């Protein structure tokens, strides 16, 4: 065949074949809507069946896809809606109306070691979706839970401090000395670090024993299940989120200026010499803060592999000078269907946080009277002094405690914390048989932290001045290894479905740390990076601790005729934290459910879409104590002998061979109701939790035995928590242009001690150390956890005969404080102290209204608490006469010409804890209001984008409260140090918290 003829034949072939190919390929467009409401649905997945060709709808529900064959089938799928398949058949336009699953009951809810349809859940589970978590900008996704789930209380450990940890409590405090924080499970990794909000697909809060018993010894405080985003089959999706916030303090105290302060101090001490300055220390300390957050992510996949990856940069400049937090993180998910039977997956997470802080919430234990807490110092410090004295040195307070000024501490002291987190978790899922699957996971996480503190010689009293500066550095490394293996079996038995789960888990955590310090530096230039140049080396410390837990667990789910549900769970845990005689324990639970709406008498109801009754009972545990607490141990002491310091070893603590788990016995009764085609959905729950074998420090051991730690841990006591939870969701209006939905939750929790060690009161102190007050709250049988303890204030003594049942302190005169004379002795002593308040709220609530109008959307979120009281330790200090004070206390103080007042006269007096300083902490807060706008698809198509969203939002803009302090969300952790999550009993105290911030945020979201 000649070359010329070959070219002719090839040309003829292409002339005939190419048009056929062109004719077979077809561009299909259309819009996906809700069949009932008619509203468009964004991000619906459309896939050509049997291929990797796919796309998603844009914000307006519009899509475009190219098919290859006339008989291609398009699959339309979206969470909460029935999947639909449509054959193309030459059509160029296919509009689809999806039908919502009844009340989204077929929505999949993640539970421990698996998932269930929402309609089949027998336990108490609250779900929070991605759009709720990202309704307003937060650093920690735990913050977004506040007010979103009934029975869940979320609070920052230090107000608006950049990088402050978050404290979560589910259904109250169930412990004293062990942790009451819930277990965090991220993509199956137990005890994981919470990822960024934008990376989370959904969050489930498991609350009752039926839901949490699968985690056994770690389930008594509830479990937060986090599922991160995964890739979807179809085209690669790229998303960019960025926001920028401007922040300011939500409130300031109204303090005396220099002139008023001079008059105040002269009334107390006529010889007082007023300074020449007029300094507002709050104004010097506070500034406008900023927050910026940028996230880039991309995801996609084919028929056999899906991926999601993101990177996030966060930076916050705090509202207090010299405080900031910066964090970089990444997350990656890969899921691969290797064969028809084998699926593999890998989850990676990493972050680096760098916090530059200023000291707030001081323990107050420094020798110079708590002089390193800049917030409380800005209230206390004399306003008639400037930053520098006549010699150019930092000023020191002229009255009261000998402390440096807050501006010098904030600008010259160094407090740096660097934290690295990494987590890798991989799994393999193999379908052994048609109904039997085996899953194995292996995970590794590490956390490394360095904290450096430096106080330069320019700070006259705060570990500087005469010592030439002071520096310390602390390092820790925590490594956790997790291996879990379990089998899941599903089968149909007659009209029922049976699911069996059985597995084994092993987890080990190792923590090593060391610290060192020095003082007496010749130069401040090296900060804490050159401890060797210090003249005096502080005693270094180091430690290593290891803990292991191994478990066997199982669960049975049986659903009969889609009406009757049974769940039974058991877990056997063995933990190294406990004594040789008590290392193992078994934690069982059982639950029943009845889908009443599937019975014949309700099946065809036009009013009730769903009605389900639930009841559960089970036992969960708490093993959150430090390792080695059951063992006898030795400690070191330093003793001078012949002019030299030598180290001796002495017994530290006595052994307790019977130390074991705390066990929570929980009953839960619930109802789920949906009406009017799921336009109204209601969930009600009642729970009762008895936590027994409380781990309590027993201080009854005689000191003459010679142990360094006379208080050892014992299992004594019982605490009860019970309450109601209501969750209500309504679709108020839904049409083509306008929608309005409301989400409301309300919950109560009442707790009390049933029994304590020998029935004896346990007194504790949450005040700053320099207050020298041994008791601020008490643990007492038949009383709530951490009720306030002190004198009952009865007003001002007006002179003459004392009112019946009252007395005054020794040496008190007219104008001083009157207290209740509890013991009738005629004088006020510690025997007259009593319970004076309760920090536990009667109820908490959250209500969210979402509105959409065409391309606009509006979110309004209120959150609140009622009935909890606050011990205002700030006012205890400011009413003492040895510091500045508020205008309210100054103007209303008793004088011979102002006797009709409840405020005592201005004078130096001791710091007494009394009901005078207990205030109502109830509040309602406009937590967030956000207005968003999505560009029309006609615009985004020209830009080559799928969607562009602009939004402006405000946080904490309004707070309605009668509390006189800076903010009713208080969390002072007291002289014990650490943070408020370390103690379950230090509730409702206010002193030196980093201020809560108001912010205005601008955000942009772009999808390709």
């Amino acid at each position: 065949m000649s070359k010329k003829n070959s070219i002719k034949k090839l040309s003829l072939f292409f002339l005939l074949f190419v048009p056929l190919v062109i004719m077979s390929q077809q561009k299909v467009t259309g819009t996906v809507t809700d069949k009932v409401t008619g509203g468009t649905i964004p991000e619906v997945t459309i896939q050509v069946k049997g291929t990797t060709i796919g796309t998603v709808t844009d914000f307006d529900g519009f899509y475009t896809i190219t098919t290859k064959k006339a008989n291609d089938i398009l699959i339309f799928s979206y969470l909460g809606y029935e999947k639909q398949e449509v054959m193309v058949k030459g059509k160029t336009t296919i509009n689809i109306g999806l039908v919502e699953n009844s009340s989204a009951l077929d929505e999949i809810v993640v539970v421990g070691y698996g998932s269930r349809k929402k309609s089949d859940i027998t336990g108490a589970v609250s779900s929070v979706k991605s759009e709720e978590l990202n309704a307003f900008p937060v650093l920690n996704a735990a913050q977004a839970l506040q007010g979103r789930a009934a029975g869940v209380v979320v609070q920052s450990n230090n107000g608006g401090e950049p990088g402050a940890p978050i404290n979560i409590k589910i259904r109250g405090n169930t412990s004293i000395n062990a942790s009451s924080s819930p277990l965090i499970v991220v993509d199956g990794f137990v005890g994981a670090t919470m990822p960024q909000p934008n990376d989370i697909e959904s969050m489930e809060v498991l609350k009752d024993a039926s839901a949490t018993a699968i985690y056994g010894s770690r389930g008594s405080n509830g479990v937060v299940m986090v599922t991160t985003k995964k890739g979807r089959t179809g085209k690669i999706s790229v998303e960019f989120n960025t926001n920028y916030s401007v922040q300011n303090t939500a409130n300031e105290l109204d303090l005396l200026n220099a002139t008023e302060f001079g008059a105040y101090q002269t009334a107390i001490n006529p010889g007082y010499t007023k300074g020449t300055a007029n300094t507002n220390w709050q104004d010097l300390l506070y500034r406008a803060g900023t927050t910026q957050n940028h996230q880039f992510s991309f995801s996609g996949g084919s028929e056999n592999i899906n991926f999601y990856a993101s990177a996030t940069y966060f930076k916050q400049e705090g509202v207090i000078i010299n405080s900031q937090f910066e964090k970089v993180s990444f997350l990656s998910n890969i899921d691969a269907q290797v064969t028809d039977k084998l699926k593999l997956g890998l989850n990676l997470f990493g972050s680096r946080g760098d916090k530059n802080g200023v000291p707030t919430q001081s323990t107050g234990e420094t020798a110079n009277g708590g002089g390193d807490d800049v917030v409380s110092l800005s209230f206390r410090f004399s306003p008639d002094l400037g930053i520098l004295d006549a010699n150019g040195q930092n000023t020191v307070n002229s009255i009261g405690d000998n402390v440096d000024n807050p501006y010098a501490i904030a600008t010259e002291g160094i407090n740096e914390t660097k934290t690295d987190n990494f987590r890798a978790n991989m799994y393999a899922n193999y379908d052994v048989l048609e109904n039997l699957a085996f899953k194995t996971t292996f995970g590794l996480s590490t956390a490394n932290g360095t904290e450096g503190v430096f106080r330069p010689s320019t700070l006259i009293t705060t570990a500087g001045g005469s010592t030439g500066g002071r520096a310390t550095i602390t390092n820790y490394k925590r490594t956790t290894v997790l291996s879990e293996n379990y089998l899941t079996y599903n089968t149909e038995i007659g009209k029922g479905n049976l699911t069996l789960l059985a597995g084994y888990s092993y987890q080990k955590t190792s923590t090593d740390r060391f610290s060192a310090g020095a003082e007496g530096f010749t130069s401040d230039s090296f900060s804490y990076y050159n401890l060797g140049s210090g003249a005096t080396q502080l005693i270094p410390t180091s430690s290593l601790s290891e803990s292991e837990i191994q478990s066997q667990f199982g669960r049975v789910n049986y659903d009969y005729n889609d009406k009757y549900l049974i769940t039974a769970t058991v877990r056997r845990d063995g933990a190294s934290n406990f004594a040789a005689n008590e290392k193992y324990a078994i934690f069982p639970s059982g639950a029943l459910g009845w889908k009443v709406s599937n019975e014949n008498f309700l099946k065809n109801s036009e009013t009730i879409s769903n009605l389900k009754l639930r009841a559960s009972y089970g036992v969960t545990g708490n093993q959150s104590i430090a390792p080695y607490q059951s063992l006898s141990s030795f400690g070191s002491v330093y003793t001078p002998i012949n002019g030299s310091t030598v180290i001796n070893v002495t017994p530290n603590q006595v052994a307790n061979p019977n130390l074991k788990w705390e066990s929570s016995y929980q009953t839960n009764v619930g109802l789920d109701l949906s009406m009017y085609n799921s336009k109204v959905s209601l969930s009600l729950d009642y729970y009762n939790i008895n936590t027994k074998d409380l781990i309590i420090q027993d201080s009854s051991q005689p000191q003459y035995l010679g142990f360094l730690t006379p208080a050892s841990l014992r299992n004594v006591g019982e605490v009860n928590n019970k309450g109601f939870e209501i969750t209500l969701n309504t679709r108020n209006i839904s049409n083509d242009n306008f929608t309005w939905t409301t989400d409301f939750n309300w919950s109560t929790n009442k707790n009390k001690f049933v029994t304590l060690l020998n029935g004896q009161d346990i007194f504790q102190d949450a005040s700053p150390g320099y207050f020298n007050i041994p008791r601020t709250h008490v643990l007492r049988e038949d009383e709530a956890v951490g009720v306030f303890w002190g004198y009952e204030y009865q007003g001002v003594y007006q002179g003459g005969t004392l009112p019946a049942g009252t007395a005054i302190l020794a040496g008190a005169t007219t104008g001083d404080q009157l207290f209740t004379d509890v013991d009738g002795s005629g004088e006020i002593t510690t025997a007259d102290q009593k319970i004076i308040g309760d920090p536990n709220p009667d109820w908490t609530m959250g209500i969210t209204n979402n509105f959409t109008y065409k391309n606009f959307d509006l979110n309004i979120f209120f959150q609140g608490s009622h009935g909890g009281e606050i011990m205002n330790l700030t006012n205890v200090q400011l009413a003492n006469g040895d510091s500045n004070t508020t205008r309210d206390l100054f103007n209303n103080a008793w004088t011979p010409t102002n006797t009709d007042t409840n405020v005592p006269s201005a004078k130096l007096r001791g710091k007494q804890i009394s009901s005078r300083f207990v205030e109502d902490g109830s509040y309602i807060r406009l937590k967030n209001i956000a207005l968003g706008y999505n560009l029309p698809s006609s615009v985004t198509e020209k830009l080559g984008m799928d969607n562009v969203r602009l939004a402006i939002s405000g946080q904490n803009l309004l707070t309605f409260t009668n509390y006189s302090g800076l903010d009713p969300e208080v969390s002072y952790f007291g002289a014990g140090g650490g943070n408020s999550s370390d103690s379950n009993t230090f509730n409702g105290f206010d002193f030196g918290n980093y201020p809560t911030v108001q912010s205005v945020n601008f955000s942009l979201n772009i999808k390709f």
Side-chain angles (χ1 to χ4, degrees):
M1 180 184 296
S2 68
K3 184 178 180 181
K4 187 175 182 180
N5 289 335
S6 297
I7 293 174
K8 285 182 179 181
K9 289 182 178 182
L10 287 172
S11 299
L12 180 62
F13 172 78
F14 279 110
L15 288 173
L16 293 173
F17 177 74
V18 171
L20 290 174
V21 172
I22 294 173
M23 289 175 65
S24 65
Q25 291 183 337
Q26 184 168 310
K27 185 178 181 181
V28 180
T29 61
T31 303
V32 181
T33 60
D34 184 304
K35 194 168 185 177
V36 176
T37 66
T40 58
I41 307 176
E43 296 192 351
V44 176
T45 299
I46 303 103
Q47 185 180 359
V48 179
K49 191 172 183 178
T51 73
T52 60
I53 301 172
T55 187
V56 293
T57 58
D58 61 17
F59 179 78
D60 297 316
F62 181 80
Y63 73 92
T64 300
I65 194 169
T66 301
T67 64
K68 292 185 177 181
K69 297 179 290 186
N71 62 347
D72 274 344
I73 295 174
L74 299 183
I75 302 173
F76 296 81
S77 60
Y78 187 70
L79 186 66
Y81 287 81
E82 300 283 355
K83 184 183 295 184
Q84 283 199 39
E85 296 185 3
V86 179
M87 187 174 288
V88 176
K89 292 184 179 178
K91 299 174 185 175
T92 58
T93 301
I94 299 178
N95 296 320
I96 288 293
L98 295 182
V99 178
E100 187 176 4
N101 293 328
S102 179
S103 188
L105 294 176
D106 287 332
E107 174 186 336
I108 300 300
V109 176
V110 176
V111 294
Y113 304 103
S115 58
R116 300 279 291 168
K117 286 197 303 183
K118 188 175 182 180
S119 59
D120 295 338
I121 292 292
T122 55
V125 179
S126 293
S127 296
V128 183
K129 299 305 176 189
S130 177
E131 55 269 22
E132 296 176 281
L133 295 173
N134 293 287
F136 58 94
V138 292
L139 167 63
N140 191 314
Q143 292 173 275
L145 272 177
Q146 188 178 42
R148 302 289 186 182
V152 181
V153 176
V154 179
Q155 189 174 33
S156 167
N157 281 346
N158 194 14
E161 181 191 22
I166 304 300
N167 189 20
I168 306 175
K169 294 289 175 63
I170 299 174
R171 294 185 167 181
N173 288 326
T174 59
S175 184
I176 297 179
N177 289 111
S179 172
S180 280
S181 298
L183 181 68
I184 308 294
V185 181
V186 179
D187 292 329
F189 195 99
V190 179
T193 302
M194 193 79 78
Q196 303 301 309
N198 283 329
D199 288 328
I200 296 176
E201 183 67 34
S202 67
M203 188 181 294
E204 275 76 37
V205 181
L206 314 184
K207 296 182 286 188
D208 73 332
S210 173
T212 64
I214 195 69
Y215 289 104
S217 64
R218 290 177 286 187
S220 63
N221 301 322
V223 181
V224 179
M225 306 288 298
V226 178
T227 303
T228 57
K229 293 179 179 179
K230 304 292 191 294
R232 295 181 179 179
T233 301
K235 72 168 190 175
I236 294 179
S237 174
V238 179
E239 186 170 350
F240 176 68
N241 292 284
T242 183
N243 65 67
Y244 181 83
S245 300
V246 179
Q247 300 176 328
N248 284 285
T249 54
N251 199 4
E252 290 187 11
L253 288 185
D254 188 18
L255 302 172
L256 304 184
N257 60 30
T259 302
E260 295 163 328
F261 177 76
Y264 171 59
Q265 287 300 316
T266 300
I268 297 172
N269 176 18
Y272 178 77
T273 303
K274 177 180 171 296
T276 58
N278 185 14
T279 306
N280 186 320
W281 295 104
Q282 290 182 100
D283 285 351
L284 283 178
L285 198 65
Y286 298 146
R287 65 179 178 183
T290 61
T291 297
Q292 54 180 305
N293 189 71
H294 313 289
Q295 189 212 33
F296 172 77
S297 67
F298 61 96
S299 62
S302 62
E303 189 174 0
N304 295 322
I305 189 167
N306 297 312
F307 65 90
Y308 173 87
S310 75
T312 304
Y313 172 75
F314 178 92
K315 184 176 182 180
Q316 181 178 2
E317 298 284 347
V319 295
I320 293 181
I321 54 176
N322 208 32
S323 65
Q324 70 172 36
F325 180 74
E326 193 171 18
K327 186 175 183 179
V328 178
S329 63
F330 72 87
L331 183 138
S332 175
N333 285 321
I334 300 175
D335 299 280
Q337 190 71 49
V338 180
T339 68
D340 291 340
K341 291 181 173 292
L342 179 62
K343 186 175 183 179
L344 303 177
L346 176 64
N347 173 270
L348 298 175
F349 170 81
S351 68
R352 172 66 186 267
D354 194 343
K355 176 181 175 183
N356 295 318
V358 293
T360 58
Q361 286 210 44
S362 167
T363 65
E365 291 185 324
T366 55
N368 51 359
D372 58 347
D373 175 0
V374 298
V375 175
S376 66
L377 285 178
S378 72
F379 308 151
R380 298 163 57 192
F381 206 85
S382 304
D384 57 355
L385 297 178
I387 299 173
L388 301 176
D389 61 18
N391 298 318
Q393 292 185 316
N394 291 320
T395 53
V396 176
N397 208 19
S398 57
I399 61 169
D401 296 311
N402 188 34
V403 292
D404 290 299
N405 72 70
Y407 182 82
I409 296 173
T411 55
E412 298 179 18
I414 296 176
N415 300 263
E416 294 181 347
T417 303
K418 297 178 175 64
T419 306
D420 296 316
N421 284 285
F422 174 77
R423 182 179 70 249
N425 194 28
M426 61 182 65
Y427 75 87
N429 194 93
Y430 183 72
D431 294 331
V432 182
L433 300 171
E434 183 178 355
N435 298 322
L436 179 65
F438 172 72
K439 186 171 185 178
T440 180
T441 68
F442 178 79
L444 170 70
S445 73
T446 61
N448 298 280
T450 300
E451 180 180 359
V453 177
F454 181 63
R455 299 290 179 262
S457 58
T458 53
L459 297 177
I460 307 301
T461 65
T462 311
S466 60
T467 66
R470 181 186 180 96
T472 60
I473 186 168
T474 302
N475 280 61
Y476 76 88
K477 180 179 181 180
R478 182 179 299 111
T479 302
T480 300
V481 176
L482 173 67
S483 174
E484 297 189 308
N485 306 271
Y486 54 94
L487 288 162
T488 305
Y489 178 72
N490 296 282
T491 187
E492 292 185 8
I493 301 177
K495 293 183 179 181
N497 295 303
L498 176 68
T499 302
L500 302 176
L501 172 76
Y504 170 83
S505 174
Y506 173 81
Q507 190 166 12
K508 180 178 180 178
T509 300
S510 301
T511 304
D512 58 84
R513 62 177 68 237
F514 79 88
S515 64
E519 58 186 23
F521 297 93
T522 57
S523 170
D524 295 332
S525 302
F526 299 110
S527 181
Y528 57 82
Y529 290 108
N530 190 7
L531 298 181
S533 65
T536 303
Q537 299 297 308
L538 304 180
I539 298 172
T541 63
S542 61
S543 65
L544 170 66
S545 65
E546 295 181 331
S547 62
E548 297 177 82
I549 181 168
Q550 59 177 345
S551 316
Q552 303 84 39
F553 55 87
R555 181 172 57 213
V556 178
N557 291 105
Y558 183 65
D559 311 335
Y560 179 73
N561 202 22
D562 201 25
K563 296 179 184 178
Y564 313 110
L565 312 171
I566 299 175
T567 301
T569 305
V570 64
R571 181 163 178 139
R572 180 178 183 266
D573 279 333
S576 63
N577 287 7
F578 293 100
N581 300 340
E582 299 287 352
K583 288 193 181 297
Y584 290 90
I586 296 176
F587 303 95
S589 77
L592 299 174
W594 179 23
K595 296 183 181 179
V596 185
S597 54
N598 285 357
E599 297 288 358
N600 291 333
F601 58 85
L602 274 181
K603 204 169 193 178
N604 299 316
S605 172
E606 295 182 359
T607 301
I608 297 178
S609 312
N610 171 64
L611 174 59
K612 181 175 65 175
L613 302 179
R614 298 176 279 105
S616 69
Y617 178 80
V619 184
T620 51
N622 191 341
Q623 51 88 47
S624 300
I625 62 172
Y628 318 125
Q629 297 299 299
S630 67
L631 305 177
S632 60
S633 63
F634 290 96
S636 56
V637 293
Y638 295 84
T639 304
I641 297 179
N642 297 326
S644 300
T645 300
V646 297
I647 301 175
N648 290 327
V649 175
T650 187
N652 179 48
Q653 70 177 18
V654 66
N656 180 359
N658 298 309
L659 184 65
K660 63 180 181 179
W661 326 81
E662 294 180 343
S663 296
S664 294
Y665 300 79
Q666 182 170 180
T667 300
N668 192 95
V669 179
L671 175 149
D672 298 321
L673 173 66
S674 297
M675 298 185 295
Y676 309 114
N677 198 26
S678 301
K679 289 186 177 179
V680 178
S681 298
L682 174 69
S683 288
L684 303 176
D685 279 279
Y686 167 78
Y687 63 88
N688 191 324
I689 310 171
N690 284 305
T691 303
K692 301 181 180 181
D693 297 319
L694 290 177
I695 298 175
I696 298 177
Q697 285 189 336
D698 179 10
S699 301
S700 62
Q701 178 177 278
Q703 292 189 2
Y704 60 73
L705 293 179
F707 289 95
L708 287 177
T709 307
S712 59
L713 295 182
R714 289 181 56 191
N715 293 104
V716 182
E718 178 180 345
V719 65
N720 176 265
N721 285 269
K722 58 186 175 182
F724 292 93
E725 297 171 352
I726 299 175
T727 301
L728 177 65
N729 309 106
T730 62
R731 292 189 297 171
N732 308 310
I733 300 175
S734 184
N735 55 46
D736 289 344
N737 292 325
F738 181 73
T739 65
W740 171 27
T741 63
T742 301
D743 300 319
F744 171 77
N745 69 79
W746 180 90
S747 60
T748 69
N749 181 76
K750 296 292 184 182
N751 63 31
K752 70 173 184 177
F753 286 106
V754 179
T755 60
L756 284 169
L757 180 63
N758 298 323
Q760 297 296 309
D761 293 342
I762 300 175
F763 291 98
Q764 296 181 330
D765 174 32
S767 67
Y770 75 94
F771 273 28
N772 295 317
I773 296 174
R775 299 173 175 181
T776 58
H777 57 292
V778 63
L779 312 182
R780 172 177 285 181
E781 288 184 359
D782 294 323
E783 297 290 347
V785 175
V787 290
F788 301 137
W789 183 261
Y791 300 107
E792 184 176 46
Y793 184 63
Q794 293 288 1
V796 179
Y797 174 49
Q798 301 292 345
T801 304
L802 289 167
T806 67
I808 55 179
L809 292 165
T813 59
T814 303
D816 268 323
Q817 303 171 98
L818 267 177
F819 299 110
T820 298
D821 185 12
V822 174
D823 64 356
S825 65
E827 59 182 10
I828 295 300
T829 66
T830 55
D832 296 304
Q833 293 177 337
K834 57 182 291 188
I835 292 173
I836 56 175
D838 183 355
N840 300 283
D842 296 329
W843 52 259
T844 58
M845 58 79 69
I847 182 169
T848 303
N849 282 282
N850 288 293
F851 305 88
T852 64
Y853 176 72
K854 294 185 177 180
N855 287 4
F856 289 92
D857 58 85
L858 177 66
N859 174 281
I860 303 175
F861 172 37
F862 282 91
Q863 176 264 332
S865 174
H866 177 77
E869 293 179 304
I870 296 173
M871 175 62 73
N872 193 335
L873 295 174
T874 299
N875 275 357
V876 174
Q877 168 65 63
L878 298 184
N880 194 47
D882 64 350
S883 68
N884 199 357
T885 191
T886 65
R887 283 197 173 90
D888 178 68
L889 291 173
F890 174 65
N891 293 331
N892 293 297
W894 186 95
T895 66
T897 58
N898 181 38
T899 59
D900 187 18
T901 180
N902 201 40
V903 180
S905 61
K907 64 178 292 186
L908 284 171
R909 54 171 52 92
K911 300 179 179 70
Q912 290 92 27
I913 299 297
S914 74
S915 58
R916 176 188 173 195
F917 303 108
V918 176
E919 301 185 43
D920 180 14
S922 304
Y923 69 92
I924 297 291
R925 169 167 287 161
L926 177 58
K927 194 70 178 179
N928 179 67
I929 181 169
L931 177 65
Y933 176 71
N934 294 272
L935 268 62
S937 57
S938 58
V939 176
T940 57
E941 285 180 3
K942 292 179 181 179
L943 296 174
M945 302 173 183
D946 289 342
N947 187 55
V948 177
R949 184 177 188 274
L950 304 169
I952 181 173
S953 63
Q955 290 76 48
N956 302 324
L957 297 183
L958 292 173
T959 300
F960 304 95
T961 183
N962 291 323
Y963 180 55
S964 67
L966 290 179
D967 189 78
E969 286 191 78
V970 296
S971 58
Y972 180 62
F973 48 69
N979 61 60
S980 59
S981 66
D982 290 340
S983 174
N984 303 306
T985 58
F986 290 12
N987 300 316
F989 293 95
D990 184 12
F991 186 83
N993 296 346
Y994 197 104
T996 297
V997 299
Q998 293 178 332
S999 61
V1000 176
N1001 179 75
F1002 305 89
S1003 63
L1004 170 67
N1005 171 263
I1006 301 175
K1007 294 180 181 179
F1008 296 89

